[in-house]
Amino acid sequence: MQKLNIIIITALLLVGCNNFDEDININPNVPSQASGTQLIANAMLSLSGLSSSPQGEFMSQYLSETQYVNASLYPQSSTSFYGWYQGPLMNLQTVLNAADELSGVEGPVPNQLAVAKILKSYYIWSLTDRWGDIPYTQALMGANNFTPAYDSQESIYADLFTVLDEASNQIVPGSISNDIIYGGNMAKWSKLANTLKMLMALRLSEVNPTLGKEKFAAAMQAGVLNSNSDNLVFKHLADANNQNYWFGQLNQGREWWAISSTLMDKMKPVGDPRLMIYGNANRTDGEYTGLVFGETVNIDTEKYALLGEAITAQDAQVYLVTYAQVLFAQAEAAKLGWIAGGDATAEENYNMAIEASMDQWGADTSTLADFMAMPEIAYSADMAIEQIATQRWVHLFMHGYEGWAEYRRTGYPNNMVAPGGAEVPKRQIYIETEQFNNTENYNEAVQRQFGGPESLYGNVWWDVN
């Protein structure tokens, strides 16, 4: 009888368990489905990766390797773009695909979509400038298409101009939640969209200057970044969950990077105030000495300037799109005749760009007048393009991929070295997996661009020099 009672009670308990509300095991603090702005915020967390990369610094020769030098000698190895598609781009595409399902509780839906479009465009622009043709119109479809075709870089640029226009035009009054970049300020997002158009337009200076001039003027008219407070900046935290990449490396004792002599030779002779921000003096003699890029023998870290605290702090900021870049772009555009004013406007914007860069980096400007008067720095109509391009490259320190793109477009600075005879690469090589899992589309893209096997030295579309 006792056993029967136990069986009956157990059965009743099991039946009773089936009558619980469906949400009893749902933790309200851990939602099973992310909102639109949460997905956007998650995509924002990857922004620092566009800058914080030793490979990017090697491509622009900002840093020299002090430990594993072969990694910086431009080996003919591939680089994967999968992480960008599987991470931030998929999050942003999910938001765009769910346009009709987004809630306005976290801000106007048009604004959520605008920010998603701007961020997606920025990521895609960065990727296509690194690899050339990439999957775009058929990408981010999940299980519906595991083998997307590669779009030409020219067509990608054309579409990004359109998408950025759409994003700017659909912005309405009201802020959005979870915006870790601009705090929901849509005016700043609009300026960023126009600034991306401006910088993309300048990238066309050699391949299609007519279109470049048109898009540049339109971006300026629409309104671009107009102070350092508008900069696209990723702000790390003094917290291990969101700390600076370089802090994490040095915190493990990895003093693997020194300021390159390529950079040092453009800064030290003219007394550039930013040098003390970019690097620390040598520990041997208190001087600033750059390490020759690709040097394999004399690499004692005590003898060379290592990265400064502004770069390596746990909560250091990463500068991605800046007001100084806008001013340098306008200086170059004036010199090219894309905007009015000629050399007078070019000089004005060039000088303002250097000052904005100093302000951004927190440099000591007490000697700025002397610096600006140096023959190598003072604006010269005959040397204007070289001066603008070189100072832009100095300003872009630690944003290696962007500095590399501008070097490929302009050919400046003019002191890049070829370690072991290897010139600065023209692009990155597609991940080998594409040759096996996306064979037809991979082969078509490579043949279309290079007419044969791919390498580090096939030009992307806009790099015609």
Side-chain angles (χ1 to χ4, degrees):
M1 184 66 179
Q2 185 176 7
K3 290 182 178 180
L4 179 60
N5 289 336
I6 292 174
I7 292 173
I8 294 172
I9 292 172
T10 301
L12 290 172
L13 288 173
L14 290 173
V15 172
C17 287
N18 290 330
N19 292 326
F20 289 139
D21 291 336
E22 291 182 0
D23 62 354
I24 193 170
N25 290 320
I26 297 177
N27 183 347
N29 296 317
V30 186
S32 58
Q33 184 173 350
S35 69
T37 62
Q38 287 171 335
L39 288 169
I40 292 170
N42 194 270
M44 291 174 180
L45 292 175
S46 296
L47 283 170
S48 62
L50 295 175
S51 170
S52 302
S53 162
Q55 187 176 41
E57 311 317 315
F58 298 152
M59 292 297 199
S60 213
Q61 295 192 8
Y62 288 132
L63 301 181
S64 296
E65 177 68 65
T66 67
Q67 185 70 29
Y68 301 102
V69 182
N70 286 338
S72 66
L73 301 183
Y74 306 139
Q76 291 279 346
S77 57
S78 67
T79 308
S80 176
F81 48 47
Y82 288 159
W84 300 105
Y85 286 95
Q86 295 164 351
L89 284 171
M90 183 56 76
N91 283 332
L92 295 169
Q93 190 62 48
T94 299
V95 173
L96 296 174
N97 290 344
D100 295 334
E101 303 170 20
L102 296 177
S103 169
V105 173
E106 296 178 326
V109 170
N111 291 350
Q112 296 180 47
L113 296 174
V115 172
K117 289 177 181 178
I118 295 167
L119 285 172
K120 180 185 175 185
S121 297
Y122 182 45
Y123 278 117
I124 291 292
W125 178 43
S126 300
L127 299 187
T128 190
D129 278 358
R130 287 168 60 179
W131 280 275
D133 295 1
I134 57 172
Y136 180 55
T137 55
Q138 293 184 17
L140 305 171
M141 295 183 179
N144 292 326
N145 189 354
F146 287 131
T147 56
Y150 287 60
D151 293 76
S152 71
Q153 187 175 44
E154 181 177 9
S155 68
I156 292 172
Y157 261 67
D159 194 65
L160 293 183
F161 282 127
T162 299
V163 172
L164 288 168
D165 279 338
E166 291 175 356
S168 294
N169 293 335
Q170 73 181 102
I171 291 175
V172 298
S175 62
I176 64 171
S177 304
N178 297 314
D179 180 359
I180 63 174
I181 300 299
Y182 286 132
N185 187 325
M186 295 308 300
K188 291 184 182 294
W189 281 108
S190 179
K191 291 178 186 179
L192 176 62
N194 296 325
T195 301
L196 293 177
K197 283 178 53 184
M198 167 184 279
L199 299 179
M200 286 173 54
L202 195 58
R203 210 74 106 219
L204 309 186
S205 63
E206 298 294 331
V207 68
N208 192 342
T210 301
L211 179 63
K213 179 179 180 180
E214 173 193 331
K215 296 297 185 182
F216 194 97
M220 277 192 64
Q221 180 66 31
V224 294
L225 309 186
N226 56 22
S227 74
N228 278 329
S229 65
D230 291 335
N231 290 349
L232 175 61
V233 179
F234 186 89
K235 300 175 182 177
H236 289 106
L237 303 177
D239 184 295
N241 293 315
N242 188 16
Q243 67 184 14
N244 177 20
Y245 169 84
W246 302 102
F247 172 85
Q249 295 296 308
L250 296 178
N251 201 39
Q252 298 179 57
R254 296 173 177 169
E255 292 186 333
W256 293 354
W257 307 280
I259 303 297
S260 71
S261 58
T262 311
L263 179 63
M264 190 69 72
D265 291 348
K266 292 298 183 183
M267 299 186 76
K268 186 176 178 180
V270 294
D272 194 317
R274 290 165 293 190
L275 180 55
M276 279 68 85
I277 305 296
Y278 290 1
N280 291 327
N282 315 338
R283 291 192 288 246
T284 52
D285 57 13
E287 293 293 324
Y288 282 84
T289 304
L291 174 59
V292 174
F293 185 81
E295 172 64 47
T296 60
V297 179
N298 189 18
I299 54 177
D300 182 356
T301 55
E302 299 296 310
K303 298 179 181 179
Y304 301 103
L306 305 182
L307 288 169
E309 284 79 7
I311 309 300
T312 62
Q314 189 175 23
D315 60 351
Q317 298 185 20
V318 172
Y319 300 102
L320 295 166
V321 182
T322 62
Y323 175 50
Q325 284 175 265
V326 168
L327 294 170
F328 281 124
Q330 291 177 167
E332 184 176 349
K335 184 62 181 176
L336 293 174
W338 284 15
I339 60 176
D343 280 307
T345 297
E347 181 176 6
E348 179 183 15
N349 280 280
Y350 169 74
N351 292 339
M352 290 173 59
I354 292 175
E355 292 184 31
S357 178
M358 298 289 177
D359 178 64
Q360 171 192 303
W361 284 107
D364 179 2
T365 56
S366 61
T367 61
L368 181 59
D370 293 335
F371 171 73
M372 297 296 291
M374 295 292 291
E376 300 91 331
I377 305 301
Y379 183 87
S380 164
D382 293 335
M383 301 290 290
I385 294 298
E386 178 178 352
Q387 290 178 314
I388 293 166
T390 300
Q391 283 303 305
R392 174 170 45 218
W393 175 79
V394 171
H395 165 74
L396 288 169
F397 179 61
M398 299 307 288
H399 195 357
Y401 289 123
E402 182 64 16
W404 174 46
E406 287 296 344
Y407 167 73
R408 286 178 286 159
R409 182 178 68 86
T410 67
Y412 297 110
N414 59 4
N415 65 332
M416 293 283 196
V417 300
E423 298 288 343
V424 175
K426 295 285 192 175
R427 61 181 292 273
Q428 291 182 297
I429 296 175
Y430 299 126
I431 185 68
E432 291 97 331
T433 309
E434 285 292 279
Q435 299 179 34
F436 308 108
N437 293 343
N438 195 10
T439 306
E440 182 179 348
N441 291 317
Y442 166 84
N443 287 337
E444 190 276 333
V446 170
Q447 186 64 32
R448 179 176 67 233
Q449 293 175 92
F450 315 117
E454 67 163 330
S455 75
L456 293 174
Y457 297 99
N459 288 12
V460 299
W461 164 66
W462 48 256
D463 183 10
V464 296
N465 292 326

